[in-house]
Amino acid sequence: MSEESAKNLKALREKIDDIDHKILTLISERANCAQQVAEVKKTFDADAFFYRPEREAQVLRSVMDSNQGPLNDEEMARLFREIMSACLALEQPVKVAYLGPEGTFTQAAALKHFGHSAISIPMSAIDEVFREVEAGAVNYGVVPVENSTEGVINHTLDSFIDSPLQICGEVELRIHHHLLISDTTKKDKISRIYSHAQSFAQCRKWLDSHYPHAERIAVNSNAEAAKRIKSEWHSAAIAGDMAAELYGLEKISEKIEDRPDNSTRFLIIGNQAVPASGDDKTSIVVAMRNQPGALHALLEPFHTHNVDLTRVETRPSTSGTWNYVFFIDFIGHVDNDDVSKVLTEVGSRASELKVLGAYPKGVL
Amino acid sequence: MSEESAKNLKALREKIDDIDHKILTLISERANCAQQVAEVKKTFDADAFFYRPEREAQVLRSVMDSNQGPLNDEEMARLFREIMSACLALEQPVKVAYLGPEGTFTQAAALKHFGHSAISIPMSAIDEVFREVEAGAVNYGVVPVENSTEGVINHTLDSFIDSPLQICGEVELRIHHHLLISDTTKKDKISRIYSHAQSFAQCRKWLDSHYPHAERIAVNSNAEAAKRIKSEWHSAAIAGDMAAELYGLEKISEKIEDRPDNSTRFLIIGNQAVPASGDDKTSIVVAMRNQPGALHALLEPFHTHNVDLTRVETRPSTSGTWNYVFFIDFIGHVDNDDVSKVLTEVGSRASELKVLGAYPKGVL
C-alpha cells in the first residue's frame, strides 16, 4: 500500500467513525421520541397498541422518496424497518404467529415486515395462526395468500369467511425462478433437472412444454440444486438469482414460473382496523347467486367509479348461503368516498358482502 | 384523545420524521465512504476483499461504548451490523456457507454476524462447509463449535486439524433453558414435560436428578412445548425466555441446561488472517506425547506470561502422530508479545502446534 493510499484510508475511516457516531445519536433520539409517543398514547388509552401499520408504511414511503443512493430503496427500507422494530420493541415487542416451520418464506416475510426485534413463532397450520391471533396470544399473524400451485391460497381465503380478523397489511417477496446451467453443460443435451419440489410445482407447465422428457430430481433446496449441476454436463437446475450468482451459473431461461404475476404474497392479519395511509388496498369477499351475468354486474360499480381492481378470485361456496364467492382486491381505502360508493352498490347487488380489511399497499 | 394529546403526538411524529431524514442522509453518506474505501483498496490490490473482521469488531465496540440508551447495546449493535452489511453489499456481498438446514441456530448466528445483506447458503454437513470455503465458492463458513451434548463440537474441531482454513471470528448466541409452568399447573404433580429433543439433550442430567419419573415428550419446537402446557395441569415445558414471555408462563427453575458456560458458540472460518482488533482471542491445537504431567507442562507458559486461558479441550488423537490433542483458547492475539512468547515455549514442549486463528472476541 502506498503512503498516500494509507493516508486516504485513514481519513475515510475517521469520517465513517464520525458518521457512525452521529447515526448512533440520532437512533437513540428516535427511540426516545418513540417512548414519548407511547407515553402520550397511554394517557388516553391504557391498552393502546403502538404498532401502526399505516404510519409505518408512510415512514417507509417517505424514506424511499428521499433516498438518493448509493443504497437502493429496498435496502434502505430494510434498514428503517429494523430501526422502527427496535424502537417499538423498547415499549412493547410485537408478537407475530406465522405459518411455519422456521426457515420458510413465510418466516422471511414476517421478519421482513416486523423486523428482527419482533417475537415470531411458527404454527403448523393456517387455522392455528388465525386462532392464536383471535385468542390474543399474539398481535398479528402472517399467512401466505398467493402461491398458486400449492393450494395454500384457497385455505387462507376460506379462513377469513368465518373469522372476525382483518387484513392489516400485505408483504410481497419477489421470487423468480430461472433455468440455470454451468459452463460445462451442453444446452441441447439437458436430460436432468434439479430443484426443490415446490419450485418444480411452480414451473410445472413451463417444464412440461419445454423439457417434457428431462428427469426431474427434487433436492432439499434450490441452492443445493444449483450446486449439483456444476459437475454434470447434461444437467440444469431451477433456482433463483441468489443461487445463480453464488455458483456463477448462466440463466438460459428467465422467470419460468407458470404464474409470473403472483410469485409470493403474504397477508398480515390482526384485530385492528387500519386507517388510510394514502396508498392503500382493500380486500372484500362477496357472495352472489349463481345467475347469468352475475360477475359482470358485480364488477360494474368498480368501473363506474374508476376504482382499480387488482385481483378477482372465484371460489365455489362451501356453505349453503354462499352460492358463489368472489374474493376481490382493489386500490383504495374503505374511508375513501369512491370506495364507499362502490361498496354500497356492490352490497345491493350481492347476497352478502364482507370487508376483509383495508391496509397499506405492500412497501417493496 | 384530547386536543393536547393530539398536538403532542403530531409534534413528536414530525420530530421523528425529521430524525429519520437525517439518519437516511447519514447512512447514504456512510455508504458513499464505504465505496471510496473500496476504490482506494482496489488501487493497490485488484482482488482486495473488503470485509475486515477486526475493523467491524472495533466499530461495534465503539458504538456500544458510546451508546447511552434507551436501546440496549445488543439492539444497537444489531442495527449497526445491518448498516455495515448493507454498505458492504454495495461493493461485494459477503458469501457465507453455514451448517443448515435453514432456520437453525447456525443460520441465526450467520445472519447475526454478517447481517441480512450477506448471501447465506445452507450445507448439510460440517465438512461441506469447510470444503465450500476452501474451494473459494464462499468467503466464509459458520459452524457450531460448542454445543456440548450433541457431539457436534468434536467433529468441528477435528475438521481444523487437516484444513488450511483459519478461524476469523466467533459468534455467541445466548440461549438458556427454563422449566416453565402455566398458572393452572400443580407444581408438585408434574408428570409430563414437553420440549424439543435437542433441549432435552441439553438438560438431561438436570432432568434425571430433578424429574426422574416425568414422561418426556419431544415436540417440534420449544414454542410448541410452551403452548401445549397451557391446558394441562400436570405438565411442564422446557423452553427459553421468548416462549415464557409469549405464553405468560412461570419459570420455576431457571437455566437448567447441564453446561451453563457453553450454551451455543459458533466459529467463522475463512482464508484470511485477521489483524489484532484490540480485544482478541486465539485458538490453537497442540499434540503431546502421553506422559505424566504433559498437560501441566503445556499450560505452564500461559501462567508464567499471564495469558488467560478461556478453554481447554482434550481429545484422543485420531492419527499416529498425535498422541493426545489439546484444543486451547486464550485471550490475546498472536501478534502480541506475550502471546508469541507463550507460543514459542508451548511449541518447544509439544510434538506439534498449530495456530487455528486469532480473531476478535465475539461482540455481544
Side-chain angles (χ1 to χ4, degrees), chain A residues 62-116:
Chain A
S62 131
V63 159
M64 294 191 299
D65 280 350
S66 325
N67 183 32
Q68 315 233 326
L71 293 177
N72 65 33
D73 287 356
E74 198 160 349
E75 276 288 84
M76 195 56 102
R78 192 175 70 73
L79 293 177
F80 271 86
R81 273 188 222 272
E82 292 296 343
I83 292 172
M84 287 191 275
S85 174
C87 290
L88 189 69
L90 257 185
E91 207 50 42
Q92 189 188 51
V94 179
K95 293 176 192 172
V96 183
Y98 63 92
L99 179 66
E102 290 175 279
T104 53
F105 283 128
T106 313
Q107 186 189 28
L111 292 174
K112 178 184 169 188
H113 193 81
F114 291 102
H116 287 76

Side-chain angles (χ1 to χ4, degrees), chain B residues 235-281:
Chain B
S235 298
I238 295 176
D241 286 312
M242 205 171 263
E245 191 182 328
L246 191 62
Y247 290 104
L249 302 176
E250 184 193 345
K251 301 179 201 172
I252 51 172
S253 299
E254 295 198 35
K255 302 187 182 172
I256 60 171
E257 56 274 11
D258 296 330
R259 300 178 57 171
D261 59 316
N262 81 3
S263 24
T264 324
R265 182 171 169 244
F266 304 85
L267 294 180
I268 313 295
I269 55 173
N271 291 298
Q272 207 177 0
V274 181
S277 76
D279 190 6
D280 302 277
K281 256 182 172 175

Side-chain angles (χ1 to χ4, degrees), chain A residues 176-202:
Chain A
H176 293 299
H177 294 303
H178 315 299
L179 190 69
L180 306 174
I181 58 168
S182 76
D183 42 16
T184 57
T185 310
K186 304 209 162 120
K187 269 187 223 191
D188 48 352
K189 295 260 163 96
I190 294 172
S191 62
R192 186 183 281 179
I193 299 176
Y194 292 99
S195 194
H196 185 268
Q198 201 159 5
S199 308
F200 275 132
Q202 286 168 16

Side-chain angles (χ1 to χ4, degrees), chain A residues 40-256:
Chain A
V40 175
K41 283 192 184 166
K42 275 186 204 151
T43 60
F44 56 87
D45 179 2
D47 298 322
F49 190 63
F50 306 113
Y51 177 76
R52 306 287 336 171
E54 79 287 7
R55 164 83 181 144
E56 184 165 294
Q58 285 163 348
V59 169
L60 291 176
R61 272 181 225 136
S62 131
V63 159
M64 294 191 299
D65 280 350
S66 325
N67 183 32
Q68 315 233 326
L71 293 177
N72 65 33
D73 287 356
E74 198 160 349
E75 276 288 84
M76 195 56 102
R78 192 175 70 73
L79 293 177
F80 271 86
R81 273 188 222 272
E82 292 296 343
I83 292 172
M84 287 191 275
S85 174
C87 290
L88 189 69
L90 257 185
E91 207 50 42
Q92 189 188 51
V94 179
K95 293 176 192 172
V96 183
Y98 63 92
L99 179 66
E102 290 175 279
T104 53
F105 283 128
T106 313
Q107 186 189 28
L111 292 174
K112 178 184 169 188
H113 193 81
F114 291 102
H116 287 76
S117 303
I119 297 175
S120 69
I121 169 167
M123 298 287 142
S124 56
I126 287 177
D127 347 353
E128 271 189 57
V129 177
F130 274 79
R131 264 204 303 279
E132 287 292 292
V133 184
E134 285 172 25
V138 295
N139 306 112
Y140 295 99
V142 181
V143 289
V145 66
E146 284 169 23
N147 201 317
S148 43
T149 24
E150 300 302 293
V152 280
I153 350 164
N154 301 346
H155 191 164
T156 302
L157 293 179
D158 291 347
S159 303
F160 278 108
I161 296 183
D162 301 313
S163 169
L165 297 181
Q166 305 209 33
I167 302 174
C168 301
E170 61 172 1
V171 187
E172 283 185 59
L173 289 187
R174 296 175 186 171
I175 298 153
H176 293 299
H177 294 303
H178 315 299
L179 190 69
L180 306 174
I181 58 168
S182 76
D183 42 16
T184 57
T185 310
K186 304 209 162 120
K187 269 187 223 191
D188 48 352
K189 295 260 163 96
I190 294 172
S191 62
R192 186 183 281 179
I193 299 176
Y194 292 99
S195 194
H196 185 268
Q198 201 159 5
S199 308
F200 275 132
Q202 286 168 16
C203 306
R204 190 168 293 132
K205 281 186 205 158
W206 188 92
L207 284 169
D208 287 348
S209 67
H210 292 78
Y211 291 90
H213 303 301
E215 186 189 5
R216 297 175 199 174
I217 300 178
V219 292
N220 271 331
S221 69
N222 289 342
E224 192 181 321
K227 195 176 147 189
R228 284 260 187 121
I229 65 165
K230 294 284 287 182
S231 52
E232 300 185 10
W233 59 266
H234 58 296
S235 298
I238 295 176
D241 287 312
M242 204 170 262
E245 192 181 328
L246 192 61
Y247 289 105
L249 302 176
E250 184 193 345
K251 301 180 203 172
I252 51 171
S253 300
E254 296 198 36
K255 303 188 183 171
I256 60 171

Side-chain angles (χ1 to χ4, degrees), chain B residues 48-100:
Chain B
F49 191 63
F50 306 113
Y51 177 76
R52 305 290 333 175
E54 79 287 7
R55 164 83 181 146
E56 184 164 294
Q58 285 163 348
V59 169
L60 290 175
R61 271 180 225 137
S62 131
V63 160
M64 295 193 296
D65 280 349
S66 327
N67 183 31
Q68 315 234 325
L71 292 177
N72 65 35
D73 288 355
E74 199 161 347
E75 277 288 83
M76 195 57 100
R78 192 174 70 73
L79 293 177
F80 271 86
R81 273 188 223 272
E82 292 296 343
I83 292 172
M84 287 190 276
S85 175
C87 291
L88 189 67
L90 258 185
E91 208 49 42
Q92 188 188 53
V94 179
K95 295 177 190 171
V96 183
Y98 63 91
L99 180 66

Side-chain angles (χ1 to χ4, degrees), chain A residues 34 77 80 144 178 244 291 341 345:
Chain A
F80 271 86
H178 315 299
Q291 57 192 41
K341 276 179 213 152
E345 287 175 37

